Amino acid sequence: MLTRRHFICSTAALFSTPIASASFASPISDRSKWSRWDAQITPKNYVPETTNIWGLHPRFLPRIVEANPGLKAGDIHVDAVARYLYHIREDGTAMRYGVAIARGNLYEPGTYTIQRKAKWPTWTPTAAMIKRDPGLYERHADGMSGGPTNPLGSRALYLYVGNRDTYLRIHGTPSPRSIGGRASSGCVRMVMAHINGLYEDVSKGSTAYLYPSDGTVSARS
């Protein structure tokens, strides 16, 4: 488990100012619709750094930032305080995206391996989710097929510890206005158009570091 001290001493200082310039489910996502769905959730004339039909705070739009030396290319770092996800690149920079994290104590900091990737994934709420809020989740106990209204959105990166599926995901969301807040039942959420770009650059076997959500950095700075 990553400590608060590790977060303050390491993660908060990993990146400088911008450089100028759910579980396996039984239903099957309809592959024939994937291209149409991608077009549906991608704004016309989409430019990642400037397109903002979702009304996000501008700081949550994708941006290239400089990474400190020594970080491994391909790894993902989630700053849960500032609500940023960083994907480290070969040239010493990182792509930074705005995210939403889990509500309350449902957020689980730690070091994970991305063992699976999926486009337009299916979703099944966990038993704990159903028990916690049966009115919301029980109707999907047998799974929900992929699509624009699916809670996992257009893409998902599945987080494991060893060979154990943690049921934590980095995924798209049909609720983009939640970005910057605490909204999920454990996962890290991204705008669907944003994770579509990230997804292509992430390799299975990469490490994802989810840092604690407490600290001295304001999520509104």
Side-chain angles (χ1 to χ4, degrees), residues 55-67:
L56 304 177
H57 189 291
R59 75 183 182 91
F60 293 128
L61 296 176
R63 188 168 300 181
I64 299 175
V65 298
E66 186 176 346

Side-chain angles (χ1 to χ4, degrees), residues 13-93:
L14 289 181
F15 307 97
S16 68
T17 55
I19 296 173
S21 54
S23 63
F24 302 121
S26 51
I28 299 174
S29 179
D30 189 343
R31 289 173 176 262
S32 68
K33 297 179 180 178
W34 287 4
S35 294
R36 176 162 59 84
W37 289 340
D38 279 344
Q40 181 178 332
I41 58 92
T42 305
K44 185 178 181 180
N45 301 319
Y46 174 60
V47 178
E49 298 82 3
T50 58
T51 299
N52 192 12
I53 66 168
W54 312 281
L56 304 177
H57 189 291
R59 75 183 182 91
F60 293 128
L61 296 176
R63 188 168 300 181
I64 299 175
V65 298
E66 186 176 346
N68 278 0
L71 298 180
K72 183 180 177 182
D75 283 353
I76 285 174
H77 297 261
V78 175
D79 179 343
V81 177
R83 311 290 197 264
Y84 289 142
L85 178 149
Y86 298 91
H87 183 234
I88 309 302
R89 310 197 318 171
E90 293 283 355
D91 62 358
T93 64

Side-chain angles (χ1 to χ4, degrees), residues 187-202:
C187 300
V188 175
R189 293 181 177 183
M190 297 177 63
V191 170
M192 285 195 270
H194 295 173
I195 197 171
N196 282 11
L198 171 67
Y199 181 93
E200 299 301 327
D201 294 328
V202 174

Side-chain angles (χ1 to χ4, degrees), residues 163-199:
N163 293 320
R164 178 177 64 85
D165 185 358
T166 65
Y167 299 99
L168 299 176
R169 317 287 185 237
I170 298 170
H171 64 84
T173 177
S175 302
R177 291 185 182 272
S178 66
I179 300 304
R182 304 196 67 152
S184 75
S185 293
C187 300
V188 175
R189 293 181 177 183
M190 297 177 63
V191 170
M192 285 195 270
H194 295 173
I195 197 171
N196 282 11
L198 171 67
Y199 181 93

